PDB file of all heavy atoms in Angstrom:
ATOM      1  N   ILE W  70      -9.626  -8.499  11.681  1.00 97.00           N
ATOM      2  CA  ILE W  70      -9.978  -8.584  10.200  1.00 97.00           C
ATOM      3  C   ILE W  70     -10.628  -9.868   9.938  1.00 97.00           C
ATOM      4  O   ILE W  70     -11.620 -10.014   9.239  1.00 97.00           O
ATOM      5  CB  ILE W  70      -8.668  -8.374   9.362  1.00 97.00           C
ATOM      6  CG1 ILE W  70      -8.248  -6.914   9.435  1.00 97.00           C
ATOM      7  CG2 ILE W  70      -9.021  -8.721   7.892  1.00 97.00           C
ATOM      8  CD1 ILE W  70      -6.888  -6.664   8.686  1.00 97.00           C
ATOM      9  N   GLU W  71     -10.004 -10.996  10.498  1.00 97.00           N
ATOM     10  CA  GLU W  71     -10.571 -12.287  10.260  1.00 97.00           C
ATOM     11  C   GLU W  71     -11.999 -12.384  10.775  1.00 97.00           C
ATOM     12  O   GLU W  71     -12.866 -13.013  10.077  1.00 97.00           O
ATOM     13  CB  GLU W  71      -9.708 -13.308  10.909  1.00 97.00           C
ATOM     14  CG  GLU W  71     -10.311 -14.736  10.674  1.00 97.00           C
ATOM     15  CD  GLU W  71      -9.302 -15.838  11.004  1.00 97.00           C
ATOM     16  OE1 GLU W  71      -8.075 -15.549  11.213  1.00 97.00           O
ATOM     17  OE2 GLU W  71      -9.716 -17.018  11.060  1.00 97.00           O
ATOM     18  N   LEU W  72     -12.288 -11.732  11.809  1.00 97.00           N
ATOM     19  CA  LEU W  72     -13.620 -11.677  12.400  1.00 97.00           C
ATOM     20  C   LEU W  72     -14.561 -10.695  11.671  1.00 97.00           C
ATOM     21  O   LEU W  72     -15.700 -10.544  12.096  1.00 97.00           O
ATOM     22  CB  LEU W  72     -13.565 -11.331  13.861  1.00 97.00           C
ATOM     23  CG  LEU W  72     -13.032 -12.471  14.750  1.00 97.00           C
ATOM     24  CD1 LEU W  72     -12.763 -12.002  16.225  1.00 97.00           C
ATOM     25  CD2 LEU W  72     -13.987 -13.680  14.710  1.00 97.00           C
ATOM     26  N   LYS W  73     -14.024 -10.030  10.741  1.00 97.00           N
ATOM     27  CA  LYS W  73     -14.742  -8.981   9.990  1.00 97.00           C
ATOM     28  C   LYS W  73     -15.252  -7.829  10.977  1.00 97.00           C
ATOM     29  O   LYS W  73     -16.268  -7.204  10.694  1.00 97.00           O
ATOM     30  CB  LYS W  73     -15.937  -9.528   9.234  1.00 97.00           C
ATOM     31  CG  LYS W  73     -15.467 -10.494   8.116  1.00 97.00           C
ATOM     32  CD  LYS W  73     -16.498 -10.810   7.128  1.00 97.00           C
ATOM     33  CE  LYS W  73     -16.089 -11.830   6.077  1.00 97.00           C
ATOM     34  NZ  LYS W  73     -14.961 -11.509   5.285  1.00 97.00           N
ATOM     35  N   LEU W  74     -14.539  -7.623  12.029  1.00 97.00           N
ATOM     36  CA  LEU W  74     -14.887  -6.570  12.943  1.00 97.00           C
ATOM     37  C   LEU W  74     -14.246  -5.264  12.521  1.00 97.00           C
ATOM     38  O   LEU W  74     -14.619  -4.155  12.852  1.00 97.00           O
ATOM     39  CB  LEU W  74     -14.431  -6.939  14.367  1.00 97.00           C
ATOM     40  CG  LEU W  74     -15.238  -8.055  15.045  1.00 97.00           C
ATOM     41  CD1 LEU W  74     -14.658  -8.420  16.436  1.00 97.00           C
ATOM     42  CD2 LEU W  74     -16.751  -7.577  15.175  1.00 97.00           C
ATOM     43  N   ILE W  75     -13.151  -5.414  11.708  1.00 97.00           N
ATOM     44  CA  ILE W  75     -12.582  -4.264  11.093  1.00 97.00           C
ATOM     45  C   ILE W  75     -12.262  -4.605   9.581  1.00 97.00           C
ATOM     46  O   ILE W  75     -12.212  -5.790   9.245  1.00 97.00           O
ATOM     47  CB  ILE W  75     -11.315  -3.682  11.778  1.00 97.00           C
ATOM     48  CG1 ILE W  75     -10.170  -4.773  11.651  1.00 97.00           C
ATOM     49  CG2 ILE W  75     -11.526  -3.332  13.223  1.00 97.00           C
ATOM     50  CD1 ILE W  75      -8.891  -4.204  12.182  1.00 97.00           C
ATOM     51  N   LYS W  76     -12.068  -3.533   8.875  1.00 97.00           N
ATOM     52  CA  LYS W  76     -11.813  -3.768   7.380  1.00 97.00           C
ATOM     53  C   LYS W  76     -10.588  -2.898   7.062  1.00 97.00           C
ATOM     54  O   LYS W  76     -10.384  -1.844   7.556  1.00 97.00           O
ATOM     55  CB  LYS W  76     -12.994  -3.221   6.586  1.00 97.00           C
ATOM     56  CG  LYS W  76     -13.075  -3.830   5.222  1.00 97.00           C
ATOM     57  CD  LYS W  76     -14.520  -3.647   4.660  1.00 97.00           C
ATOM     58  CE  LYS W  76     -14.630  -3.900   3.219  1.00 97.00           C
ATOM     59  NZ  LYS W  76     -13.415  -4.398   2.479  1.00 97.00           N
ATOM     60  N   LYS W  77      -9.717  -3.487   6.229  1.00 97.00           N
ATOM     61  CA  LYS W  77      -8.479  -2.857   5.843  1.00 97.00           C
ATOM     62  C   LYS W  77      -8.692  -2.239   4.485  1.00 97.00           C
ATOM     63  O   LYS W  77      -9.300  -2.851   3.560  1.00 97.00           O
ATOM     64  CB  LYS W  77      -7.342  -3.853   5.716  1.00 97.00           C
ATOM     65  CG  LYS W  77      -6.031  -3.338   5.247  1.00 97.00           C
ATOM     66  CD  LYS W  77      -4.978  -4.463   5.213  1.00 97.00           C
ATOM     67  CE  LYS W  77      -3.665  -3.975   4.629  1.00 97.00           C
ATOM     68  NZ  LYS W  77      -2.623  -5.003   4.683  1.00 97.00           N
ATOM     69  N   HIS W  78      -8.245  -1.036   4.276  1.00 98.00           N
ATOM     70  CA  HIS W  78      -8.302  -0.399   2.953  1.00 98.00           C
ATOM     71  C   HIS W  78      -6.981   0.092   2.479  1.00 98.00           C
ATOM     72  O   HIS W  78      -6.268   0.754   3.200  1.00 98.00           O
ATOM     73  CB  HIS W  78      -9.216   0.906   3.059  1.00 98.00           C
ATOM     74  CG  HIS W  78     -10.619   0.610   3.454  1.00 98.00           C
ATOM     75  ND1 HIS W  78     -11.530  -0.081   2.658  1.00 98.00           N
ATOM     76  CD2 HIS W  78     -11.238   0.820   4.687  1.00 98.00           C
ATOM     77  CE1 HIS W  78     -12.675  -0.196   3.312  1.00 98.00           C
ATOM     78  NE2 HIS W  78     -12.589   0.365   4.508  1.00 98.00           N
ATOM     79  N   SER W  79      -6.598  -0.314   1.295  1.00 97.00           N
ATOM     80  CA  SER W  79      -5.341   0.224   0.664  1.00 97.00           C
ATOM     81  C   SER W  79      -5.668   1.324  -0.297  1.00 97.00           C
ATOM     82  O   SER W  79      -6.047   1.113  -1.428  1.00 97.00           O
ATOM     83  CB  SER W  79      -4.749  -0.998  -0.107  1.00 97.00           C
ATOM     84  OG  SER W  79      -4.331  -1.998   0.794  1.00 97.00           O
ATOM     85  N   PHE W  80      -5.567   2.501   0.236  1.00 97.00           N
ATOM     86  CA  PHE W  80      -5.829   3.666  -0.659  1.00 97.00           C
ATOM     87  C   PHE W  80      -4.525   3.929  -1.342  1.00 97.00           C
ATOM     88  O   PHE W  80      -3.481   3.328  -1.081  1.00 97.00           O
ATOM     89  CB  PHE W  80      -6.335   4.861   0.198  1.00 97.00           C
ATOM     90  CG  PHE W  80      -7.673   4.668   0.725  1.00 97.00           C
ATOM     91  CD1 PHE W  80      -7.902   4.823   2.078  1.00 97.00           C
ATOM     92  CD2 PHE W  80      -8.726   4.188  -0.033  1.00 97.00           C
ATOM     93  CE1 PHE W  80      -9.171   4.637   2.677  1.00 97.00           C
ATOM     94  CE2 PHE W  80     -10.000   3.990   0.525  1.00 97.00           C
ATOM     95  CZ  PHE W  80     -10.213   4.190   1.871  1.00 97.00           C
ATOM     96  N   LEU W  81      -4.571   4.957  -2.251  1.00 94.00           N
ATOM     97  CA  LEU W  81      -3.369   5.085  -3.141  1.00 94.00           C
ATOM     98  C   LEU W  81      -2.084   5.274  -2.411  1.00 94.00           C
ATOM     99  O   LEU W  81      -1.056   4.789  -2.838  1.00 94.00           O
ATOM    100  CB  LEU W  81      -3.598   6.206  -4.154  1.00 94.00           C
ATOM    101  CG  LEU W  81      -4.165   5.656  -5.514  1.00 94.00           C
ATOM    102  CD1 LEU W  81      -4.393   6.784  -6.447  1.00 94.00           C
ATOM    103  CD2 LEU W  81      -3.203   4.619  -6.218  1.00 94.00           C
ATOM    104  N   ASN W  82      -2.155   6.048  -1.312  1.00 84.00           N
ATOM    105  CA  ASN W  82      -0.805   6.270  -0.708  1.00 84.00           C
ATOM    106  C   ASN W  82      -0.768   5.857   0.756  1.00 84.00           C
ATOM    107  O   ASN W  82       0.305   6.021   1.437  1.00 84.00           O
ATOM    108  CB  ASN W  82      -0.287   7.663  -0.918  1.00 84.00           C
ATOM    109  CG  ASN W  82       0.190   7.835  -2.299  1.00 84.00           C
ATOM    110  OD1 ASN W  82       1.007   7.070  -2.721  1.00 84.00           O
ATOM    111  ND2 ASN W  82      -0.344   8.817  -3.000  1.00 84.00           N
ATOM    112  N   LYS W  83      -1.892   5.326   1.322  1.00 94.00           N
ATOM    113  CA  LYS W  83      -1.792   4.831   2.605  1.00 94.00           C
ATOM    114  C   LYS W  83      -2.769   3.711   2.965  1.00 94.00           C
ATOM    115  O   LYS W  83      -3.791   3.622   2.343  1.00 94.00           O
ATOM    116  CB  LYS W  83      -1.815   5.950   3.684  1.00 94.00           C
ATOM    117  CG  LYS W  83      -3.199   6.617   3.768  1.00 94.00           C
ATOM    118  CD  LYS W  83      -3.134   7.672   4.908  1.00 94.00           C
ATOM    119  CE  LYS W  83      -3.682   9.009   4.388  1.00 94.00           C
ATOM    120  NZ  LYS W  83      -3.605  10.055   5.361  1.00 94.00           N
ATOM    121  N   THR W  84      -2.501   3.010   3.950  1.00 97.00           N
ATOM    122  CA  THR W  84      -3.383   1.898   4.469  1.00 97.00           C
ATOM    123  C   THR W  84      -4.140   2.454   5.580  1.00 97.00           C
ATOM    124  O   THR W  84      -3.542   2.925   6.569  1.00 97.00           O
ATOM    125  CB  THR W  84      -2.527   0.671   4.883  1.00 97.00           C
ATOM    126  OG1 THR W  84      -1.830   0.210   3.670  1.00 97.00           O
ATOM    127  CG2 THR W  84      -3.428  -0.398   5.388  1.00 97.00           C
ATOM    128  N   LEU W  85      -5.489   2.404   5.486  1.00 98.00           N
ATOM    129  CA  LEU W  85      -6.314   2.767   6.637  1.00 98.00           C
ATOM    130  C   LEU W  85      -7.255   1.616   7.005  1.00 98.00           C
ATOM    131  O   LEU W  85      -7.562   0.746   6.145  1.00 98.00           O
ATOM    132  CB  LEU W  85      -7.166   3.984   6.271  1.00 98.00           C
ATOM    133  CG  LEU W  85      -6.401   5.283   5.949  1.00 98.00           C
ATOM    134  CD1 LEU W  85      -7.396   6.376   5.609  1.00 98.00           C
ATOM    135  CD2 LEU W  85      -5.606   5.716   7.173  1.00 98.00           C
ATOM    136  N   TYR W  86      -7.730   1.632   8.256  1.00 98.00           N
ATOM    137  CA  TYR W  86      -8.645   0.597   8.699  1.00 98.00           C
ATOM    138  C   TYR W  86      -9.910   1.280   9.194  1.00 98.00           C
ATOM    139  O   TYR W  86      -9.922   2.452   9.488  1.00 98.00           O
ATOM    140  CB  TYR W  86      -8.063  -0.167   9.933  1.00 98.00           C
ATOM    141  CG  TYR W  86      -6.796  -0.905   9.540  1.00 98.00           C
ATOM    142  CD1 TYR W  86      -5.505  -0.191   9.496  1.00 98.00           C
ATOM    143  CD2 TYR W  86      -6.745  -2.230   9.191  1.00 98.00           C
ATOM    144  CE1 TYR W  86      -4.399  -0.830   9.212  1.00 98.00           C
ATOM    145  CE2 TYR W  86      -5.557  -2.886   8.864  1.00 98.00           C
ATOM    146  CZ  TYR W  86      -4.350  -2.178   8.894  1.00 98.00           C
ATOM    147  OH  TYR W  86      -3.184  -2.829   8.489  1.00 98.00           O
ATOM    148  N   GLU W  87     -11.017   0.556   9.271  1.00 97.00           N
ATOM    149  CA  GLU W  87     -12.204   1.122   9.909  1.00 97.00           C
ATOM    150  C   GLU W  87     -13.017  -0.113  10.553  1.00 97.00           C
ATOM    151  O   GLU W  87     -12.912  -1.186  10.153  1.00 97.00           O
ATOM    152  CB  GLU W  87     -13.087   1.849   8.903  1.00 97.00           C
ATOM    153  CG  GLU W  87     -13.701   0.975   7.813  1.00 97.00           C
ATOM    154  CD  GLU W  87     -14.628   1.778   6.923  1.00 97.00           C
ATOM    155  OE1 GLU W  87     -15.372   2.607   7.390  1.00 97.00           O
ATOM    156  OE2 GLU W  87     -14.599   1.446   5.656  1.00 97.00           O
ATOM    157  N   LYS W  88     -13.744   0.303  11.560  1.00 97.00           N
ATOM    158  CA  LYS W  88     -14.579  -0.690  12.201  1.00 97.00           C
ATOM    159  C   LYS W  88     -15.670  -1.155  11.170  1.00 97.00           C
ATOM    160  O   LYS W  88     -16.101  -0.301  10.392  1.00 97.00           O
ATOM    161  CB  LYS W  88     -15.203  -0.191  13.524  1.00 97.00           C
ATOM    162  CG  LYS W  88     -16.006   1.076  13.325  1.00 97.00           C
ATOM    163  CD  LYS W  88     -16.422   1.634  14.695  1.00 97.00           C
ATOM    164  CE  LYS W  88     -17.242   2.905  14.548  1.00 97.00           C
ATOM    165  NZ  LYS W  88     -17.483   3.553  15.871  1.00 97.00           N
ATOM    166  N   SER W  89     -16.085  -2.367  11.234  1.00 96.00           N
ATOM    167  CA  SER W  89     -17.021  -2.826  10.208  1.00 96.00           C
ATOM    168  C   SER W  89     -18.171  -3.645  10.740  1.00 96.00           C
ATOM    169  O   SER W  89     -19.019  -4.180   9.938  1.00 96.00           O
ATOM    170  CB  SER W  89     -16.297  -3.599   9.119  1.00 96.00           C
ATOM    171  OG  SER W  89     -15.556  -4.694   9.697  1.00 96.00           O
ATOM    172  N   PHE W  90     -18.334  -3.753  12.019  1.00 96.00           N
ATOM    173  CA  PHE W  90     -19.445  -4.519  12.580  1.00 96.00           C
ATOM    174  C   PHE W  90     -20.791  -3.896  12.206  1.00 96.00           C
ATOM    175  O   PHE W  90     -20.944  -2.677  12.480  1.00 96.00           O
ATOM    176  CB  PHE W  90     -19.330  -4.718  14.069  1.00 96.00           C
ATOM    177  CG  PHE W  90     -20.554  -5.374  14.730  1.00 96.00           C
ATOM    178  CD1 PHE W  90     -20.793  -6.751  14.376  1.00 96.00           C
ATOM    179  CD2 PHE W  90     -21.389  -4.613  15.554  1.00 96.00           C
ATOM    180  CE1 PHE W  90     -21.890  -7.375  14.992  1.00 96.00           C
ATOM    181  CE2 PHE W  90     -22.472  -5.255  16.044  1.00 96.00           C
ATOM    182  CZ  PHE W  90     -22.695  -6.623  15.814  1.00 96.00           C
ATOM    183  N   GLN W  91     -21.657  -4.639  11.543  1.00 94.00           N
ATOM    184  CA  GLN W  91     -22.988  -4.161  11.143  1.00 94.00           C
ATOM    185  C   GLN W  91     -22.978  -2.929  10.257  1.00 94.00           C
ATOM    186  O   GLN W  91     -23.885  -2.110  10.321  1.00 94.00           O
ATOM    187  CB  GLN W  91     -23.867  -3.910  12.425  1.00 94.00           C
ATOM    188  CG  GLN W  91     -24.368  -5.208  13.038  1.00 94.00           C
ATOM    189  CD  GLN W  91     -25.423  -4.957  14.075  1.00 94.00           C
ATOM    190  OE1 GLN W  91     -25.613  -3.889  14.547  1.00 94.00           O
ATOM    191  NE2 GLN W  91     -26.119  -6.050  14.452  1.00 94.00           N
ATOM    192  N   LYS W  92     -21.874  -2.719   9.640  1.00 94.00           N
ATOM    193  CA  LYS W  92     -21.735  -1.589   8.761  1.00 94.00           C
ATOM    194  C   LYS W  92     -22.073  -2.092   7.369  1.00 94.00           C
ATOM    195  O   LYS W  92     -21.455  -3.085   6.860  1.00 94.00           O
ATOM    196  CB  LYS W  92     -20.308  -1.018   8.773  1.00 94.00           C
ATOM    197  CG  LYS W  92     -20.211   0.259   8.093  1.00 94.00           C
ATOM    198  CD  LYS W  92     -19.056   1.120   8.752  1.00 94.00           C
ATOM    199  CE  LYS W  92     -19.179   2.608   8.264  1.00 94.00           C
ATOM    200  NZ  LYS W  92     -18.143   3.381   8.865  1.00 94.00           N
ATOM    201  N   LYS W  93     -22.931  -1.444   6.664  1.00 94.00           N
ATOM    202  CA  LYS W  93     -23.362  -1.906   5.376  1.00 94.00           C
ATOM    203  C   LYS W  93     -22.300  -1.582   4.349  1.00 94.00           C
ATOM    204  O   LYS W  93     -21.461  -0.716   4.546  1.00 94.00           O
ATOM    205  CB  LYS W  93     -24.719  -1.486   4.942  1.00 94.00           C
ATOM    206  CG  LYS W  93     -24.861   0.012   4.782  1.00 94.00           C
ATOM    207  CD  LYS W  93     -26.246   0.399   4.413  1.00 94.00           C
ATOM    208  CE  LYS W  93     -26.527   0.109   2.874  1.00 94.00           C
ATOM    209  NZ  LYS W  93     -27.745   0.877   2.461  1.00 94.00           N
ATOM    210  N   GLN W  94     -22.333  -2.359   3.276  1.00 91.00           N
ATOM    211  CA  GLN W  94     -21.384  -2.145   2.148  1.00 91.00           C
ATOM    212  C   GLN W  94     -21.376  -0.627   1.841  1.00 91.00           C
ATOM    213  O   GLN W  94     -22.373   0.003   1.634  1.00 91.00           O
ATOM    214  CB  GLN W  94     -21.940  -2.972   0.978  1.00 91.00           C
ATOM    215  CG  GLN W  94     -21.203  -2.824  -0.286  1.00 91.00           C
ATOM    216  CD  GLN W  94     -21.858  -1.854  -1.260  1.00 91.00           C
ATOM    217  OE1 GLN W  94     -21.326  -0.699  -1.434  1.00 91.00           O
ATOM    218  NE2 GLN W  94     -22.898  -2.165  -1.883  1.00 91.00           N
ATOM    219  N   HIS W  95     -20.203  -0.158   1.619  1.00 96.00           N
ATOM    220  CA  HIS W  95     -20.111   1.289   1.219  1.00 96.00           C
ATOM    221  C   HIS W  95     -18.771   1.448   0.500  1.00 96.00           C
ATOM    222  O   HIS W  95     -17.929   0.677   0.542  1.00 96.00           O
ATOM    223  CB  HIS W  95     -20.204   2.241   2.443  1.00 96.00           C
ATOM    224  CG  HIS W  95     -19.075   2.047   3.425  1.00 96.00           C
ATOM    225  ND1 HIS W  95     -19.107   1.133   4.399  1.00 96.00           N
ATOM    226  CD2 HIS W  95     -17.887   2.678   3.456  1.00 96.00           C
ATOM    227  CE1 HIS W  95     -17.967   1.213   5.067  1.00 96.00           C
ATOM    228  NE2 HIS W  95     -17.234   2.142   4.557  1.00 96.00           N
ATOM    229  N   ASN W  96     -18.682   2.626  -0.132  1.00 97.00           N
ATOM    230  CA  ASN W  96     -17.520   2.893  -0.954  1.00 97.00           C
ATOM    231  C   ASN W  96     -16.911   4.258  -0.472  1.00 97.00           C
ATOM    232  O   ASN W  96     -17.504   4.961   0.402  1.00 97.00           O
ATOM    233  CB  ASN W  96     -17.867   2.888  -2.354  1.00 97.00           C
ATOM    234  CG  ASN W  96     -18.476   1.604  -2.723  1.00 97.00           C
ATOM    235  OD1 ASN W  96     -17.843   0.551  -2.819  1.00 97.00           O
ATOM    236  ND2 ASN W  96     -19.886   1.566  -2.852  1.00 97.00           N
ATOM    237  N   HIS W  97     -15.764   4.579  -1.013  1.00 98.00           N
ATOM    238  CA  HIS W  97     -15.044   5.784  -0.520  1.00 98.00           C
ATOM    239  C   HIS W  97     -14.749   6.832  -1.497  1.00 98.00           C
ATOM    240  O   HIS W  97     -14.397   6.584  -2.628  1.00 98.00           O
ATOM    241  CB  HIS W  97     -13.763   5.289   0.212  1.00 98.00           C
ATOM    242  CG  HIS W  97     -14.015   4.429   1.348  1.00 98.00           C
ATOM    243  ND1 HIS W  97     -14.113   3.027   1.295  1.00 98.00           N
ATOM    244  CD2 HIS W  97     -14.326   4.712   2.606  1.00 98.00           C
ATOM    245  CE1 HIS W  97     -14.338   2.573   2.472  1.00 98.00           C
ATOM    246  NE2 HIS W  97     -14.559   3.553   3.377  1.00 98.00           N
ATOM    247  N   LEU W  98     -14.856   8.080  -1.036  1.00 97.00           N
ATOM    248  CA  LEU W  98     -14.416   9.235  -1.766  1.00 97.00           C
ATOM    249  C   LEU W  98     -13.126   9.711  -0.988  1.00 97.00           C
ATOM    250  O   LEU W  98     -13.275   9.983   0.211  1.00 97.00           O
ATOM    251  CB  LEU W  98     -15.464  10.361  -1.728  1.00 97.00           C
ATOM    252  CG  LEU W  98     -16.767  10.063  -2.281  1.00 97.00           C
ATOM    253  CD1 LEU W  98     -17.746  11.310  -2.081  1.00 97.00           C
ATOM    254  CD2 LEU W  98     -16.726   9.728  -3.792  1.00 97.00           C
ATOM    255  N   ILE W  99     -12.042   9.895  -1.647  1.00 96.00           N
ATOM    256  CA  ILE W  99     -10.862  10.339  -0.979  1.00 96.00           C
ATOM    257  C   ILE W  99     -10.395  11.675  -1.592  1.00 96.00           C
ATOM    258  O   ILE W  99     -10.168  11.772  -2.774  1.00 96.00           O
ATOM    259  CB  ILE W  99      -9.692   9.321  -1.112  1.00 96.00           C
ATOM    260  CG1 ILE W  99     -10.103   7.937  -0.547  1.00 96.00           C
ATOM    261  CG2 ILE W  99      -8.429   9.787  -0.422  1.00 96.00           C
ATOM    262  CD1 ILE W  99     -10.608   6.978  -1.624  1.00 96.00           C
ATOM    263  N   CYS W 100     -10.344  12.676  -0.738  1.00 94.00           N
ATOM    264  CA  CYS W 100      -9.959  14.019  -1.272  1.00 94.00           C
ATOM    265  C   CYS W 100      -8.479  14.079  -1.455  1.00 94.00           C
ATOM    266  O   CYS W 100      -7.669  13.803  -0.498  1.00 94.00           O
ATOM    267  CB  CYS W 100     -10.439  15.113  -0.296  1.00 94.00           C
ATOM    268  SG  CYS W 100     -10.063  16.799  -1.017  1.00 94.00           S
ATOM    269  N   ASN W 101      -8.065  14.325  -2.636  1.00 91.00           N
ATOM    270  CA  ASN W 101      -6.579  14.469  -2.864  1.00 91.00           C
ATOM    271  C   ASN W 101      -5.991  15.698  -2.296  1.00 91.00           C
ATOM    272  O   ASN W 101      -4.754  15.723  -2.030  1.00 91.00           O
ATOM    273  CB  ASN W 101      -6.333  14.560  -4.392  1.00 91.00           C
ATOM    274  CG  ASN W 101      -6.592  13.239  -5.119  1.00 91.00           C
ATOM    275  OD1 ASN W 101      -6.468  12.217  -4.543  1.00 91.00           O
ATOM    276  ND2 ASN W 101      -7.001  13.243  -6.388  1.00 91.00           N
ATOM    277  N   ASP W 102      -6.840  16.695  -1.946  1.00 88.00           N
ATOM    278  CA  ASP W 102      -6.277  17.934  -1.424  1.00 88.00           C
ATOM    279  C   ASP W 102      -6.155  17.869   0.178  1.00 88.00           C
ATOM    280  O   ASP W 102      -5.188  18.251   0.741  1.00 88.00           O
ATOM    281  CB  ASP W 102      -7.095  19.127  -1.745  1.00 88.00           C
ATOM    282  CG  ASP W 102      -6.933  19.371  -3.283  1.00 88.00           C
ATOM    283  OD1 ASP W 102      -5.828  18.926  -3.812  1.00 88.00           O
ATOM    284  OD2 ASP W 102      -7.700  20.058  -3.933  1.00 88.00           O
ATOM    285  N   CYS W 103      -7.272  17.396   0.800  1.00 89.00           N
ATOM    286  CA  CYS W 103      -7.232  17.413   2.291  1.00 89.00           C
ATOM    287  C   CYS W 103      -7.238  16.055   2.924  1.00 89.00           C
ATOM    288  O   CYS W 103      -7.246  15.984   4.121  1.00 89.00           O
ATOM    289  CB  CYS W 103      -8.362  18.260   2.862  1.00 89.00           C
ATOM    290  SG  CYS W 103      -9.980  17.477   2.618  1.00 89.00           S
ATOM    291  N   ASP W 104      -7.158  15.021   2.102  1.00 88.00           N
ATOM    292  CA  ASP W 104      -7.036  13.596   2.646  1.00 88.00           C
ATOM    293  C   ASP W 104      -8.304  13.126   3.342  1.00 88.00           C
ATOM    294  O   ASP W 104      -8.288  12.086   3.946  1.00 88.00           O
ATOM    295  CB  ASP W 104      -5.854  13.420   3.592  1.00 88.00           C
ATOM    296  CG  ASP W 104      -4.502  13.470   2.805  1.00 88.00           C
ATOM    297  OD1 ASP W 104      -4.597  13.167   1.575  1.00 88.00           O
ATOM    298  OD2 ASP W 104      -3.531  13.787   3.383  1.00 88.00           O
ATOM    299  N   LYS W 105      -9.346  13.900   3.354  1.00 91.00           N
ATOM    300  CA  LYS W 105     -10.538  13.470   3.980  1.00 91.00           C
ATOM    301  C   LYS W 105     -11.148  12.236   3.246  1.00 91.00           C
ATOM    302  O   LYS W 105     -11.049  12.118   2.030  1.00 91.00           O
ATOM    303  CB  LYS W 105     -11.648  14.610   3.921  1.00 91.00           C
ATOM    304  CG  LYS W 105     -12.894  14.329   4.758  1.00 91.00           C
ATOM    305  CD  LYS W 105     -13.702  15.552   5.154  1.00 91.00           C
ATOM    306  CE  LYS W 105     -14.184  16.232   3.842  1.00 91.00           C
ATOM    307  NZ  LYS W 105     -15.175  17.325   4.218  1.00 91.00           N
TER     308      LYS W 105
END
Side-chain angles (χ1 to χ4, degrees):
Chain W
I70 288 174
E71 181 166 345
L72 287 172
K73 297 194 187 298
L74 290 174
I75 64 173
K76 200 161 168 8
K77 176 179 178 176
H78 299 289
S79 295
F80 294 128
L81 269 178
N82 285 305
K83 69 177 128 183
T84 297
L85 296 179
Y86 300 82
E87 66 176 323
K88 57 189 179 186
S89 59
F90 174 68
Q91 286 190 344
K92 193 151 191 181
K93 64 182 282 197
Q94 175 264 106
H95 64 273
N96 305 287
H97 296 93
L98 302 177
I99 302 97
C100 182
N101 288 331
D102 289 339
C103 70
D104 288 337
K105 189 161 62 169

